[in-house]
Amino acid sequence: MIAAQQTPDMSPAASLSFHAELEQALALDQLCLLYQPLVDLQTGAVVSLEALVRWRHPALGLLAAQAFLPRAEGAGMTAAIGDWVLRRACGDLNAWRRGGQNHLRVAVNVAPSQFRDPGFGDAVAALLDDYAITPAALTLEITETALTEAGDGCDDLLAGFKARGLNLTLDDFGTGHGSLSSLKRYPFDAIKIDADFIRNVVSDSHDAAMAKSIIAMGHNLGMKVVAEGVETESQCDFLRRNMCDQIQGYFFAPPLASAELQQLLASGRALPEHLLRMHKPPRRLLLVDDEPNILAALKRLLRGDRYQVYSANDGPQGLAVLAEHPVDVIVSDQRMPGMLGADFLRKARELAPDTIRIMLSGYTELQSVTDAVNEGAIYKFLTKPWDDEQLRGHIADAFRIKEIADDNLRLNLEVRSANQELAAANRRMEQLLQEKQRQISRGEISLSVAREVLQHLPLPVIGMDDAGMIAFVNGAAAGLFRHGGALLGSEAGNVLPELFQADGAPRHHVADIEGRRYAVMCYPMGEHSASRGSLITLSTVEPPP
């Protein structure tokens, strides 16, 4: 467990100066390293470790870096501590890789004073050689403060690191004074969103907007984005949904001592599937070789790559596996009893044509292998003994090719599905349009019939729109008001005042027209249809006897 962080007593009464005390701590091996995992939000697996220095202070217990490194900088000790951290981390990384954890990478924080050391680049290169570490396995994390203090002198240094193949991360992004200029100027592979922006990312819209902007900017610049200080599932879910690449924080694991870290890695612990950036099936690999020790070595080599591995001792067993399980990539030996690898891969191509097939063999039967390659049964031919990193790289490339093909297939299916849905929607629209046209046609026929009926009706009928204009006059009405001139399109109140009462309203009443009495009946339209206006009928009123 990590003790509560305290600051060492720096009063003049201290028996040793801080400088001397730190020198003694280095000499007595009181400093130690803990490692905090960085987890990939695509796969859920641990992909890197950040080395974090601690001081086992004899009086104050275990102190985190923030408790003593600021004072160490003033005492001129950070370069010495940084060199110790780098050497210890390289030693641990070498041991893990020799133990089979070939996928692990370690990130080390670089102090400003190390940047100011003209020999720092050569020292890093020498450590990589001393511990036989590939440069890509080491990440240097640099803060904006360190860049600012180093000035122009770090341009060549960082360029040299990239030329050697090291990874560079801009740490605590957003807390310094030159974030955007630093991203433009220096060859960083990744940026780390400072924990201050993550702490309230779920509840604070400003922090959420800042995190989204950093992620988008990093991706547009071709950089991976890592979020520090992830402590809750909701923070992790936010980052997943917004396409962050990796997370680091107590939600997955605190900084761990080497033994605790080994237990975590051995357990295969990963983020649950629902917190992964994109849900997709695991990478499924089939290994076929008649030598058990070869299969064991391959499984050990690929353990950290989180493949779902199937194995078979010969071609027929491999075909049986393919018949029962979906497989993405096949790695097969050539010389096996009963069936040569080339023949097996030919049959595998027939059984599972979408697989990517690799031959790994110590024998080169040229004609058989050439024929298989020409037939498309083999993607690559690799020889034994193999180079670990090269083999892992070829297998990873094979999976990427398979996933690109799968994505293309998925996209093709999605396009086809969308086209089908679009065609179905078009058909529905055409059917709806045809139905509307039929309704309009039926309505026009009904309207024509109604107009014809009204036209021949002996009862005078006049139709008005909602503005009081005459829109319809049947034959009987036209004959009754034949001396009134043109009626259609005229304002009814002006040309036929006898149809209205004194207040100008068209209500039921009795009127004298052309020497006869008529009962004027007004019916408002629209109660049972979309029509508007009024319909006026006139019927003669017989005088009383």
Side-chain angles (χ1 to χ4, degrees), residues 469-485:
M469 307 297 290
I470 296 176
F472 172 77
V473 179
N474 72 345
L480 180 62
F481 297 105
R482 60 184 177 278
H483 302 300

Side-chain angles (χ1 to χ4, degrees), residues 124-147:
V124 172
L127 280 175
L128 294 175
D129 291 338
D130 291 345
Y131 289 98
I133 295 173
T134 57
L138 183 64
T139 298
L140 300 180
E141 293 192 0
I142 303 114
T143 64
E144 293 175 291
T145 301
L147 292 176

Side-chain angles (χ1 to χ4, degrees), residues 4-6 60 72-73 104 190 204 214 223 228 296 364 378 392 438 449 501-502:
Q5 308 303 328
Q6 306 177 57
L60 301 175
E73 180 73 21
L104 281 183
D204 189 302
I214 293 173
M223 302 177 186
E228 292 181 297
T364 55
I378 298 176
R392 289 182 62 244
R438 285 193 292 269
V449 171
Q501 294 185 348

Side-chain angles (χ1 to χ4, degrees), residues 218-519:
H219 288 169
N220 287 334
L221 293 173
M223 302 177 186
K224 288 189 177 296
V225 182
V226 183
E228 292 181 297
V230 179
E231 298 181 353
T232 67
E233 180 172 326
S234 59
Q235 292 170 346
C236 183
D237 185 66
F238 172 90
L239 295 164
R240 173 194 68 82
R241 288 184 284 105
N242 288 284
M243 302 300 287
C244 186
D245 297 292
Q246 298 171 11
I247 63 164
Q248 176 183 357
Y250 277 72
F251 171 68
F252 185 82
L256 301 170
S258 182
E260 297 171 310
L261 178 65
Q262 287 300 307
Q263 292 178 1
L264 183 146
L265 296 175
S267 70
R269 182 180 166 196
L271 285 174
E273 186 176 357
H274 69 278
L275 290 177
L276 300 186
R277 200 173 72 178
M278 291 192 297
H279 297 180
K280 62 179 183 180
R283 290 178 162 184
R284 297 155 299 197
L285 174 66
L286 172 59
L287 303 175
V288 183
D289 200 298
D290 60 319
E291 297 184 44
N293 60 325
I294 295 293
L295 288 177
L298 288 172
K299 290 179 180 178
R300 186 165 55 250
L301 171 64
L302 301 170
R303 182 184 303 151
D305 294 325
R306 299 189 58 78
Y307 300 139
Q308 183 174 313
V309 179
Y310 303 100
S311 62
N313 295 322
D314 54 33
Q317 287 187 18
L319 295 174
V321 171
L322 286 175
E324 295 180 5
H325 304 283
V327 170
D328 302 304
V329 175
I330 302 171
V331 177
S332 173
D333 187 23
Q334 162 65 355
R335 184 170 295 237
M336 295 183 294
M339 181 183 292
L340 292 177
D343 295 330
F344 161 68
L345 292 178
R346 286 190 186 94
K347 293 183 179 297
R349 180 176 178 239
E350 296 174 2
L351 187 62
D354 294 333
T355 54
I356 307 298
R357 296 164 293 277
I358 298 173
M359 182 174 288
L360 179 64
S361 179
Y363 301 92
T364 55
E365 296 177 354
L366 185 59
Q367 188 60 50
S368 177
V369 172
T370 301
D371 290 344
V373 171
N374 290 337
E375 293 169 13
I378 298 176
Y379 160 65
K380 281 189 182 295
F381 180 90
L382 306 176
T383 59
K384 299 177 185 176
W386 61 80
D387 176 272
D388 284 355
E389 294 304 316
Q390 185 184 53
L391 177 59
R392 289 182 62 244
H394 284 309
I395 293 175
D397 287 343
F399 274 107
R400 281 191 285 270
I401 291 172
K402 176 62 165 59
E403 287 164 356
I404 290 172
D406 288 345
D407 287 341
N408 287 337
L409 177 61
R410 177 180 53 80
L411 291 173
N412 182 54
L413 292 175
E414 288 180 358
V415 169
R416 289 174 58 186
S417 177
N419 287 337
Q420 289 173 351
E421 292 178 2
L422 181 60
N426 286 337
R427 284 196 301 271
R428 289 193 295 270
M429 290 295 293
E430 289 173 357
Q431 292 169 356
L432 180 61
L433 179 60
Q434 290 173 359
E435 180 61 27
K436 288 294 184 182
Q437 289 175 337
R438 285 193 292 269
Q439 291 178 358
I440 292 172
S441 178
R442 287 195 297 268
E444 290 176 345
I445 294 173
S446 298
L447 179 60
S448 297
V449 171
R451 290 177 65 90
E452 189 169 352
V453 170
L454 290 174
Q455 196 64 246
H456 296 287
L457 195 68
L459 187 71
V461 178
I462 299 171
M464 294 189 306
D465 62 17
D466 53 358
M469 307 297 290
I470 296 176
F472 172 77
V473 179
N474 72 345
L480 180 62
F481 297 105
R482 60 184 177 278
H483 302 300
L487 298 180
L488 288 176
S490 302
E491 186 174 350
N494 291 332
V495 297
L496 299 175
E498 56 268 44
L499 301 183
F500 299 89
Q501 294 185 348
D503 59 1
R507 299 191 186 94
H508 299 336
H509 65 286
V510 176
D512 290 327
I513 302 174
E514 298 291 334
R516 299 188 66 177
R517 294 177 62 82
Y518 288 87

Side-chain angles (χ1 to χ4, degrees), residues 3 18 46 75 77 89 171-172 184 232 270 275 297 331 382 439:
F18 190 53
V46 176
M77 287 295 295
D171 198 11
D172 300 333
K184 179 180 179 180
T232 67
L275 290 177
V331 177
L382 306 176
Q439 291 178 358

Side-chain angles (χ1 to χ4, degrees), residues 94-164:
N94 174 270
W96 292 329
R97 290 195 155 229
R98 283 189 288 108
Q101 299 287 352
N102 297 301
H103 70 290
L104 281 183
R105 291 184 286 120
V106 169
V108 176
N109 294 281
V110 177
S113 54
Q114 288 176 289
F115 265 135
R116 295 192 292 269
D117 181 357
F120 181 57
D122 292 335
V124 172
L127 280 175
L128 294 175
D129 291 338
D130 291 345
Y131 289 98
I133 295 173
T134 57
L138 183 64
T139 298
L140 300 180
E141 293 192 0
I142 303 114
T143 64
E144 293 175 291
T145 301
L147 292 176
T148 302
E149 293 182 11
D152 295 339
C154 68
D155 290 52
D156 292 338
L157 180 62
L158 294 179
F161 285 144
K162 285 307 300 176
R164 289 187 177 99

